[in-house]
Amino acid sequence: MPAWTDQLRFAYQPVVNLATGSVAALEILARPEDGAVDVLASARRHPELDVELAALAVRSAARQETLLPLHVNVFAATVAELPALTSLGKAVRDVGRRPWEITLDLVGPFTHVPHRSLLESVAGLRDEGYRICADGIGDGDLPLRLLGDLAPDLVKLDGSLCAGPADDRGRWAVVSAMRQLCEQVGGLLAIEGVETERQYAAVREAGVQLAQGHLFAPPARRPAADIYLPPAGPAAVGGPPAPHGPPDGPPVAQFLQPAALLPMSASAGAVRSHLTGFPAVSGVLLVDTDGVPVRAIDRDRFLLSLSGRYGHALYADRPALRLADRPRTVGADATAWQVLDVIAEGDRVRAGDDVAVVDERGRCMGVVHLADILRALAESRVEEAARLNPLTRLPGSDAVNGEVDRWIAEGRAFALSWLDVDGFKQVNDGAGFAAGDELIRAVGRALAAVAAREPAARVGHIGGDDFLVLAEPQALDPFAEAVLDAPWSAGGLPVTLSLATVVCPPGSVTGHRQAAAALAPLKKAAKALAGASWVLGRPDTERTELRRGTLARVPGPAGPPCGSPAGHGGVRAGG
């Protein structure tokens, strides 16, 4: 070993899963002592030294006898220049680890790194099983385009994003936007530097899934046995408010726990020693040489089998396969609800068993516990219920706006519609509030019934008599027919509704605010028409299309032609 290794020590900082409240991994941090202060600077200039440092980190972790996955820092330039990372790979094999238990935290600078070489090297490392993290995002030089091309398994935000005031809306909007990017590329969002309980609450509210910081546990020479986790606040454990959560539940990767893996050839005695040596382990997966789960062993049933009068004599020296079950697995892109489906379809005796999460090659990435999944789904349902309008039980504008942003990010065409009751104040004054409330409930039920037949559509009740509808452009007619062609009344008084729609082709708007701004004049035009009305337009033109309504009531200033709503280039009559 080079002499400088005698002055090099390593510290371990837990990476905390905010969904489960558990330690998901350990980041290994090099801590040079006197006489080795220039090692890290030298590693930045010399890729071979950088890889050797990473290998030493893995060997150091092996001496700590931890089952937790590891995060190892490597400069991006090193990965681009030495794609095989030979010393690291040898260390991983020597200590009995597997590449998919190692996350490579790619550290900048990125400016002068050849991007093609970096992407090719990352692809090769992924093929071996390593997970990739883009580190220091928010205070470095990683271009957004390169970040998208990397599609990392984990995006780790720099601690500077935590350091500002907890009410800094712009700062937390950036964090929330990064969560959205992670969802698009299939990764998780982490942040460093969580020091206070207010920062903890803020990162959870913004949708961060993994976190590090002195609040939980500082870096230490030995892995922390316990971490501090503040009491859960109002934010949903499953993630941020509605705009970020996919409709079919939070991603299973958000609840990933370390897996205890042993080879298929392991004896029952070896499994027993493993379980008694690690009391927190709820089960063991027996894997083949590629890391693919072949059998699963539940802790309680296994130890019960060996505790019988002749259990140890019968099984101890025999293959553990005899006491194992077929593993239950889900892909890394599965959702929490899909995990429940897997559990529901299995044997009732195994309802509480862990479910293995595997990558595209079937290699085990970790396990998820049923208790974590149930708690997160229950809390997400509570949060969802809290966001529903008490009158119609429909979500508010935040849910629809979040879906609009998602569709824009995916490059999808969409139609955003606004609907309200004409003269609703007069309806309440003439028929009474109870009749007005019943009318709103009926309109909400009509919209929800159509949305149930249009899986992509989303309906929101903004408040009062205002509704938002997000749908594919070709799915507009069923909504219009349900609310405009039906007779409505309140307390025996006839009532009409107005509908305004902005159709947004891909790339025509950058976010839900711009779509709402394009919808505002269409709303004004629809309200200016007599009877049930529907006006449709696009963000890139002032021309509107009249789908329902009578032009006679439209105020016409001197300039525009008769029948043209003010502020528009003209109205084209529609069906």
Side-chain angles (χ1 to χ4, degrees), residues 31 38 135 139 159 168 177 189-190 199 268 308 337 340-341 349 370 392 503:
R31 290 290 187 262
D38 293 328
D135 200 356
D139 195 39
D168 186 339
L189 181 64
Q199 291 172 348
W337 285 111
L340 289 189
D341 289 341
V349 175
L370 175 62
T392 60
V503 177

Side-chain angles (χ1 to χ4, degrees), residues 369-416:
H369 302 322
L370 175 62
D372 293 334
I373 296 292
L374 291 177
R375 183 175 64 251
L377 290 176
E379 293 186 3
S380 68
R381 284 292 181 256
V382 171
E383 287 294 316
E384 181 182 349
R387 293 190 293 267
L388 299 180
N389 186 285
L391 189 61
T392 60
R393 308 306 295 167
L394 290 173
S397 58
D398 283 349
V400 178
N401 290 338
E403 282 298 302
V404 169
D405 288 337
R406 190 188 304 276
W407 286 31
I408 291 171
E410 293 173 356
R412 297 169 60 180
F414 66 91
L416 183 63

Side-chain angles (χ1 to χ4, degrees), residues 408-450:
I408 291 171
E410 293 173 356
R412 297 169 60 180
F414 66 91
L416 183 63
S417 300
W418 164 89
L419 174 78
D420 84 335
V421 178
D422 295 325
F424 186 62
K425 184 180 185 303
Q426 287 72 27
V427 172
N428 275 338
D429 291 344
F433 288 108
D437 286 350
E438 181 52 40
L439 172 64
I440 296 304
R441 279 193 287 265
V443 172
R445 287 194 295 268
L447 291 172
V450 178

Side-chain angles (χ1 to χ4, degrees), residues 147-390:
L147 180 61
D149 291 340
L150 281 171
D153 302 286
L154 183 66
V155 172
K156 188 182 291 186
L157 301 179
D158 185 78
S160 60
L161 287 169
C162 256
D167 58 354
D168 186 339
R169 295 176 61 88
R171 186 184 300 263
W172 295 112
V174 170
V175 177
S176 186
M178 291 305 299
R179 165 68 189 269
Q180 215 164 20
L181 181 145
C182 288
E183 287 181 1
Q184 296 301 318
V185 302
L188 296 179
L189 181 64
I191 196 167
E192 298 177 308
V194 179
E195 311 294 339
T196 68
E197 294 194 13
R198 290 191 67 186
Q199 291 172 348
Y200 167 76
V203 299
R204 292 178 73 246
E205 184 68 22
V208 175
Q209 294 149 310
L210 301 170
Q212 295 173 256
H214 282 68
L215 176 68
F216 311 113
R221 289 291 175 84
R222 293 189 59 83
D226 298 297
I227 61 168
Y228 171 71
L229 199 72
V237 168
H244 298 289
D248 50 355
V252 70
Q254 189 167 304
F255 308 98
L256 204 61
Q257 300 271 27
L261 307 178
L262 288 176
M264 283 192 301
S265 58
S267 67
V271 172
R272 181 179 183 275
S273 297
H274 198 82
L275 291 175
T276 54
F278 297 96
V281 172
S282 56
V284 171
L285 290 172
L286 303 179
V287 297
D288 64 16
T289 55
D290 293 323
V292 176
V294 177
R295 287 291 187 271
I297 294 176
D298 175 72
R299 178 190 191 90
D300 294 337
R301 291 198 301 276
F302 178 84
L303 293 179
L304 184 62
S305 298
L306 262 66
S307 64
R309 185 173 181 181
Y310 301 109
H312 190 271
L314 285 173
Y315 298 114
D317 295 326
R318 298 190 178 185
L321 284 168
R322 296 184 175 212
L323 297 173
D325 301 294
R326 289 189 177 277
R328 298 188 297 185
T329 62
V330 294
D333 57 351
T335 66
W337 285 111
Q338 289 171 313
V339 174
L340 289 189
D341 289 341
V342 169
I343 294 172
E345 293 171 0
D347 188 340
R348 183 175 297 181
V349 175
R350 301 187 61 197
D353 288 11
D354 297 340
V355 176
V357 180
V358 298
D359 64 13
E360 66 280 357
R361 293 193 173 190
R363 299 174 298 203
C364 183
M365 300 173 60
V367 296
V368 291
H369 302 322
L370 175 62
D372 293 334
I373 296 292
L374 291 177
R375 183 175 64 251
L377 290 176
E379 293 186 3
S380 68
R381 284 292 181 256
V382 171
E383 287 294 316
E384 181 182 349
R387 293 190 293 267
L388 299 180
N389 186 285

